[in-house]
Amino acid sequence: MRTQVGIIGAGPAGLLLSHLLHLRGISSVVLERRSREYVEKRVRAGVLEQGTVDTLVAAGVGERLRREGLPHHGIELRYGGAGHRIAFERLVPGRAITVYGQQEVVKDLIAARLAAGGDLRFEVEDVAVHDVATDRPYLTFGGGERLDCDVIAGCDGFHGVSRPSVPEGVLTAHERDYPFAWLGVLARVKPSAEELIYAHSERGFALHSMRSPEISRFYLQVPPDTGLADWPDERVWAELAARLETVPGFTLATGEILEKGVTPMRSFVVEPMQYGRLYLAGDAAHIVPPTGAKGLNLAVADVRVLTEALARFYADGSTDLLDGYSAACLRRVWRAQHFSWWMTTLLHTFDSDDAYGRRLQLSHLDYVTSSAAAATTLAENYVGLPFEDGPAPV
């Protein structure tokens, strides 16, 4: 078999790349280790930046997003017994975020690729990367099948095969682990607030979010070694109430818990994001703590850059954009890394004995919620900085 771009991974990065390339007349094959059912039901991020929404709409996969997504024009920072709204409509006019689950984005992209005759292969075992240092890279999979291509895109996540395929010593990894994790809860209950609530307290951080008008999403800061058995439903609701019911008039609605999971908190960046004809995108190249809601959005940003670079390459043979892929992506990646680290350190409880650190946090929260300049910095990073390349690349 032969295609122009071999793509490993059918998450948002791989699927969107395949679709954007299709719109440019560039062929691709997507290889995914998991089943279609698994990737369409895997609950992940649900906050889409303005630029991500614009990209999906321009690519023709935003109809359901526009119909079912929940636009938000602000978030609340809750601490010290009061709530403080960061008003996007005032601080960054014309820009917002949309709550729409990552699994819904994946469903939309799979449907679009299949409708266009795209080659998506699920439950593919033993994918291996070969000869990316040459101009004839190829992939093997399934116990003997071979896919020849011009370029390979590694969109297979942090634990995928793409990044480990690069020879040792070529890539430099930057990492930071945080001394806590997030317990994520999906519940069949109407959201108790119209916008996301980021709550800071001495008991730890909590986040009130949502996935639809009937489904809510919650997160609790927990120790990194937490097991799900430690958190029966009654304890989850009691702790969420203790951390969220801290302002007058707010009552947390409860309901059936559909899903629980523990997510470790880490920051990770690998440089460069390319080697030969192999280009890493999304979680294969970088991980952010979810506090800043940047993971999926960074994957979309990577794919936009790679799409433009490949379109130039196939149009006139130029490799200048491909050569500069990593540098172009990393400018945004490091900005998002800093913002995610900043939000994490601002809102979470660290050493319980560190009274000095707690007072610094409260002082910083007071500054963010009372200074237009500080609030604008939060708002413009949260809704997503404009893309350097302008409108969506379709």
Side-chain angles (χ1 to χ4, degrees), residues 102-118:
Q102 174 174 311
Q103 71 274 21
E104 305 306 323
V105 174
V106 166
K107 291 176 188 175
D108 295 341
L109 287 167
I110 288 176
R113 293 305 304 121
L114 294 179

Side-chain angles (χ1 to χ4, degrees), residues 21-355:
L21 293 176
H22 163 72
L23 296 175
R24 296 294 189 93
I26 301 168
S27 67
S28 66
V29 174
V30 180
L31 305 178
E32 168 58 47
R33 180 171 62 93
R34 303 283 193 172
S35 69
R36 177 180 176 181
E37 180 183 21
Y38 179 90
V39 299
E40 288 188 337
K41 290 185 177 181
R42 179 172 48 190
V43 177
R44 289 292 187 272
V47 174
L48 308 185
E49 294 177 355
Q50 184 69 58
T52 296
V53 172
D54 294 343
T55 299
L56 294 171
V57 170
V61 291
E63 180 181 353
R64 199 162 65 92
L65 163 61
R66 286 297 200 195
R67 185 174 67 249
E68 300 178 12
L70 306 176
H72 285 201
H73 298 277
I75 60 172
E76 179 184 323
L77 301 184
R78 182 172 291 188
Y79 68 98
H84 308 265
R85 184 170 184 265
I86 305 299
F88 301 157
E89 72 274 10
R90 176 173 54 84
L91 299 167
V92 284
R95 296 160 65 195
I97 57 99
T98 299
V99 175
Y100 189 68
Q102 174 174 311
Q103 71 274 21
E104 305 306 323
V105 174
V106 166
K107 291 176 188 175
D108 295 341
L109 287 167
I110 288 176
R113 293 305 304 121
L114 294 179
D119 193 341
L120 308 182
R121 306 190 181 202
F122 296 96
E123 299 182 81
V124 176
E125 299 291 340
D126 302 321
V127 175
V129 178
H130 305 273
D131 290 358
V132 292
T134 74
D135 60 359
R136 295 183 179 180
Y138 66 96
L139 297 167
T140 55
F141 59 96
E145 295 194 71
R146 171 170 169 154
L147 176 65
D148 292 290
C149 43
D150 303 319
V151 168
I152 296 173
C155 306
D156 50 344
F158 184 79
H159 298 289
V161 302
S162 298
R163 192 178 65 252
S165 300
V166 178
E168 187 174 352
V170 172
L171 305 180
T172 299
H174 308 275
E175 300 182 71
R176 171 163 295 181
D177 292 322
Y178 296 86
F180 41 75
W182 272 14
L183 172 67
V185 176
L186 194 69
R188 193 185 308 280
V189 59
K190 181 180 178 180
S192 301
E194 295 182 355
E195 296 177 337
L196 277 68
I197 302 171
Y198 287 77
H200 168 83
S201 75
E202 291 189 0
R203 301 180 69 94
F205 169 77
L207 173 60
H208 174 292
S209 183
M210 62 284 292
R211 286 296 177 268
S212 75
E214 296 81 29
I215 302 293
S216 296
R217 184 75 166 160
F218 304 96
Y219 296 96
L220 285 167
Q221 175 186 349
V222 295
D225 58 351
T226 292
L228 293 181
D230 300 330
W231 287 90
D233 293 0
E234 297 77 10
R235 185 185 180 192
V236 169
W237 289 121
E239 192 60 31
L240 282 169
R243 300 186 194 186
L244 289 167
E245 290 182 346
T246 58
V247 299
F250 179 85
T251 301
L252 180 69
T254 63
E256 177 191 5
I257 291 181
L258 305 173
E259 181 179 303
K260 299 176 192 173
V262 177
T263 302
M265 300 283 279
R266 70 160 69 93
S267 298
F268 174 85
V269 182
V270 68
E271 298 183 290
M273 291 171 53
Q274 63 192 94
Y275 172 69
R277 292 289 183 93
L278 172 66
Y279 299 86
L280 305 176
D283 287 359
H286 41 72
I287 298 285
V288 289
T291 324
K294 291 295 168 235
L296 168 60
N297 296 293
L298 277 181
V300 171
D302 292 346
V303 165
R304 287 173 57 107
V305 175
L306 188 53
T307 298
E308 283 299 313
L310 289 168
R312 172 77 65 84
F313 173 70
Y314 284 111
D316 60 16
S318 172
T319 64
D320 58 336
L321 294 184
L322 282 174
D323 294 341
Y325 167 74
S326 179
C329 290
L330 286 170
R331 286 193 292 271
R332 192 178 190 92
V333 167
W334 279 112
R335 174 85 297 275
Q337 286 284 337
H338 180 266
F339 177 67
S340 300
W341 166 86
W342 178 78
M343 286 282 284
T344 300
T345 55
L346 178 68
L347 293 164
H348 289 73
T349 301
F350 285 80
D351 186 344
S352 60
D353 296 326
D354 184 10

